[in-house]
Amino acid sequence: MNPHPFTLRQLQYAVAVADALSFRRAAERCHVSQPSLSAQLAQLEGVLGVRLFERDRRRVLPTTAGRDLVDRARRLLVAADEVQAAASGFIDPLSGVLRLGVIPTVSPYLLPDVTPALHRTFKRLNLRWLEDKTHALVAALDEGRVDGALLALEADLGDVEHEVIAIDRFVLVSPPDHELGRGQGPVTAAELREQPVLLLDDGHCFRAQALDVCTKSRAHELEFRATSLTTLVQMVAGGAGLTLLPSLAVAAELKRSKLKVRPVNAPGAQRTIALVWRKKSPLAAPLKQVAAVIRDAWP
Amino acid sequence: MNPHPFTLRQLQYAVAVADALSFRRAAERCHVSQPSLSAQLAQLEGVLGVRLFERDRRRVLPTTAGRDLVDRARRLLVAADEVQAAASGFIDPLSGVLRLGVIPTVSPYLLPDVTPALHRTFKRLNLRWLEDKTHALVAALDEGRVDGALLALEADLGDVEHEVIAIDRFVLVSPPDHELGRGQGPVTAAELREQPVLLLDDGHCFRAQALDVCTKSRAHELEFRATSLTTLVQMVAGGAGLTLLPSLAVAAELKRSKLKVRPVNAPGAQRTIALVWRKKSPLAAPLKQVAAVIRDAWP
DNA sequence: CGGATTCATAGATTGAGACTATCGATATCA
DNA sequence: TGATATCGATAGTCTCAATCTATGAATCCG
């Protein structure tokens, strides 16, 4: 049982330098003077016996060893934060700050209802939402920048636990005079064949899912790619083609619109919205309670 | 980027107290005075806002929060050690201390050959062997007390990576005048039926495997349980019954003995000896090299 | 060239963590 | 019952490690 040769603080400094690629800026971010940070890093390199950063006068570059160490250090610091969080969890799991990620195709339609509901239920809970695409949220989750995230389970999420919120079926949006707009009941895969469909930009998990429906139904994706569901709907209203929407978005996007909406009955035409968190996160229990409230607030 | 509220050292102290269940003994093991350790622990409890240990005058007991924290702290400290090890790995993976576990039914038959071979190949490698039963070695591996272990893959090993060393088939040992001793070629499951067999003590993975062979072949386990393969063989020589041995042990155990040995041709009558290590261990690469040397030295 | 910016070095300051000595409470045993 | 040993907590002191400011040496840019 010997004392540890390095400190958590030294690891924080190393991570900060790797992020900032500059000793001075890293020192600022850590709220210490640049010489203090230099000294600690030198000491860390000393006890490890490896040079972690190549300091050219012009720039700072992590060595192979440095990259590896910073990677490990990140995970270590997340684990250390979790020790802290776990302890707080024993005091009161549902007070303090809870940082949650949410994808753009859910956020604007769900949060207006969910946020007040959560606030009513957990008075002392201070929620911070981060809106981004799935892959960015998964990274943020892994690095401990958020405690959980509202995502579609159909995307690639890595090693997480989850609690399902709702199944969100897809609908077809078409101009009222379009042949598919005039039909009754759910749209079938056969009806979609050869139809021109507008989709979201790359990186949205809803794009991937909608594209999958199109491929399986032999529908055609049009060239144009929208950055939001609102844009998609406006394009359809302008007669540019058809589009798919998650049911969640229908109420907000099609209020006072004359566009026709029909559920889609084709393979893969739905998504499973869930609250996910890191495996073994100490916040699992409170997050499940949060998930229950979100589920109740689902439109 | 705020500085961490606690230190690795404080976590070490907490783990030491949980292990020793005494402040004084924990302090000894950490090579500090008891008041220093008390102070650090009090501070840790302070920043976490939770009492970690109930100090009755008669004994020290971890609270629920304490148990949870110590658990996390253990994993954290293993990860911290691995940062250190990873750094060493960048200097010279095959120098310095390598701590390996090995099970008792392998150790005495393999190490006499393997140790010199490893020493010849990796001159600067300082090997430390820990002999224990599988479950103890798995725990030691998980807690970072050993870097790897020589085990039978048939046992329950948890989340590890491995490199196979050899398949070790089982043989039947019988007195020369026994009916099975007079047979030729491999012993079949049918021949074993109703035969009296001597096995090892509980906890040996070889006991579990040999028992499995007996069950499937309808052989009978005798009451007596030996603590070593040597004892088993002596019992057979004394006419107490038959026994199974791994091939590995045959040369050493049956030198100058008149007992009869026949390979066993029955389901499950073999074990896969492998070198295993923690998933993502930084020592994976050097351990593979070590495994290769052990494989070459296998009799 | 002159000024700005980079990381490293030097020397002073302070505070965290270590030590020894001791207290108060409890368990053990004569 | 009283003596003694043992436990963790407390008090007071000391020391060194981590910080700071000031400055140096090397590079980049106008």
Side-chain angles (χ1 to χ4, degrees), chain B:
Chain B
M1 265 291 211
N2 293 321
H4 251 280
F6 55 81
T7 66
L8 286 175
R9 186 170 308 188
Q10 289 168 345
L11 295 186
Q12 280 187 306
Y13 290 173
V15 169
V17 169
D19 285 342
L21 292 179
S22 149
F23 277 49
R24 192 164 293 278
R25 280 194 298 277
E28 264 173 38
R29 235 198 278 176
C30 294
H31 309 112
V32 292
S33 70
Q34 169 263 316
S36 296
L37 182 137
S38 277
Q40 287 301 307
L41 262 184
Q43 193 170 331
L44 180 61
E45 290 180 325
V47 297
L48 294 181
V50 193
R51 196 143 186 83
L52 300 173
F53 298 97
E54 287 309 326
R55 305 79 148 148
D56 212 84
R57 291 291 171 199
R58 54 206 327 170
R59 67 186 190 283
V60 174
L61 265 191
T63 61
T64 310
R67 275 194 300 277
D68 183 272
L69 172 119
V70 165
D71 224 49
R72 290 172 190 281
R74 279 209 168 85
R75 282 195 295 271
L76 200 69
L77 291 169
V78 168
D81 284 341
E82 284 185 352
V83 168
Q84 174 80 42
S88 312
F90 279 98
I91 306 167
D92 182 356
L94 285 165
S95 70
V97 172
L98 188 69
R99 302 158 303 166
L100 295 179
V102 57
I103 53 178
T105 51
V106 165
S107 177
Y109 315 110
L110 192 58
L111 295 203
D113 291 338
V114 156
T115 310
L118 282 170
H119 185 67
R120 274 194 305 276
T121 316
F122 309 116
K123 291 257 184 295
R124 295 180 316 275
L125 189 60
N126 181 358
L127 271 182
R128 308 229 176 121
W129 293 99
L130 170 67
E131 182 181 315
D132 213 323
K133 293 170 186 167
T134 302
H135 69 98
L137 291 181
V138 169
L141 192 60
D142 189 53
E143 292 165 21
R145 299 199 310 272
V146 294
D147 304 307
L150 272 173
L151 303 169
L153 288 185
E154 284 76 11
D156 189 16
L157 303 184
D159 222 19
V160 295
E161 294 179 344
H162 70 265
E163 185 86 9
V164 172
I165 303 291
I167 304 285
D168 192 19
R169 297 183 195 284
F170 300 170
V171 300
L172 182 76
V173 180
S174 52
D177 55 341
H178 189 276
E179 51 171 326
L180 286 188
R182 288 197 300 274
Q184 290 301 317
V187 178
T188 63
E191 284 182 276
L192 286 176
R193 186 154 185 169
E194 309 287 318
Q195 293 291 346
V197 180
L198 292 154
L199 294 180
L200 277 186
D201 221 352
D202 275 337
H204 288 277
C205 61
F206 181 66
R207 172 194 163 75
Q209 287 198 261
L211 181 59
D212 183 50
V213 172
C214 289
T215 308
K216 286 180 179 154
S217 312
R218 309 282 187 93
H220 292 313
E221 182 195 358
L222 294 172
E223 276 296 314
F224 178 83
R225 294 183 180 181
T227 55
S228 76
L229 298 179
T230 306
T231 314
L232 277 183
V233 170
Q234 284 167 355
M235 297 289 295
V236 173
L242 312 176
T243 196
L244 295 174
L245 280 191
S247 301
L248 177 66
V250 168
E253 292 297 351
L254 296 181
K255 206 166 14 180
R256 274 181 266 158
S257 150
K258 289 182 180 155
L259 296 177
K260 186 76 201 261
V261 173
R262 292 171 63 194
V264 175
N265 193 0
Q270 65 177 47
R271 56 182 187 172
T272 312
I273 301 298
L275 185 61
V276 312
W277 54 86
R278 282 184 299 282
K279 245 183 182 173
K280 303 206 174 173
S281 163
L283 296 173
L287 281 166
K288 281 180 193 171
Q289 292 187 58
V290 168
V293 173
I294 300 179
R295 193 181 302 121
D296 290 341
W298 186 274

Side-chain angles (χ1 to χ4, degrees), chain A residues 61-120:
Chain A
L61 267 190
T63 61
T64 311
R67 274 194 300 278
D68 183 271
L69 172 119
V70 166
D71 224 49
R72 290 173 189 281
R74 278 208 169 86
R75 282 195 293 273
L76 200 68
L77 292 170
V78 168
D81 285 340
E82 284 186 350
V83 169
Q84 174 81 41
S88 312
F90 279 99
I91 306 166
D92 182 355
L94 285 165
S95 70
V97 173
L98 188 68
R99 302 159 302 166
L100 295 179
V102 57
I103 51 177
T105 52
V106 165
S107 176
Y109 315 109
L110 191 59
L111 295 204
D113 291 339
V114 156
T115 310
L118 282 170
H119 185 67
R120 274 195 305 277

Side-chain angles (χ1 to χ4, degrees), chain A residues 46-189:
Chain A
V47 297
L48 294 180
V50 193
R51 196 144 186 83
L52 300 173
F53 298 97
E54 286 310 325
R55 326 41 165 162
D56 215 83
R57 290 291 170 197
R58 54 206 328 169
R59 67 186 191 283
V60 174
L61 267 190
T63 61
T64 311
R67 274 194 300 278
D68 183 271
L69 172 119
V70 166
D71 224 49
R72 290 173 189 281
R74 278 208 169 86
R75 282 195 293 273
L76 200 68
L77 292 170
V78 168
D81 285 340
E82 284 186 350
V83 169
Q84 174 81 41
S88 312
F90 279 99
I91 306 166
D92 182 355
L94 285 165
S95 70
V97 173
L98 188 68
R99 302 159 302 166
L100 295 179
V102 57
I103 51 177
T105 52
V106 165
S107 176
Y109 315 109
L110 191 59
L111 295 204
D113 291 339
V114 156
T115 310
L118 282 170
H119 185 67
R120 274 195 305 277
T121 317
F122 308 117
K123 290 254 184 298
R124 296 180 315 276
L125 189 59
N126 180 359
L127 272 181
R128 308 228 176 123
W129 293 99
L130 170 67
E131 182 181 315
D132 213 324
K133 294 171 187 167
T134 302
H135 68 97
L137 291 181
V138 169
L141 192 60
D142 188 53
E143 291 165 23
R145 299 200 308 273
V146 295
D147 304 306
L150 272 174
L151 303 168
L153 288 185
E154 284 76 10
D156 189 17
L157 302 184
D159 223 18
V160 295
E161 294 179 344
H162 70 266
E163 185 87 9
V164 172
I165 304 291
I167 304 286
D168 191 19
R169 297 182 196 283
F170 298 170
V171 302
L172 181 75
V173 180
S174 51
D177 55 340
H178 189 276
E179 51 169 327
L180 287 188
R182 290 195 300 272
Q184 291 299 317
V187 179
T188 62

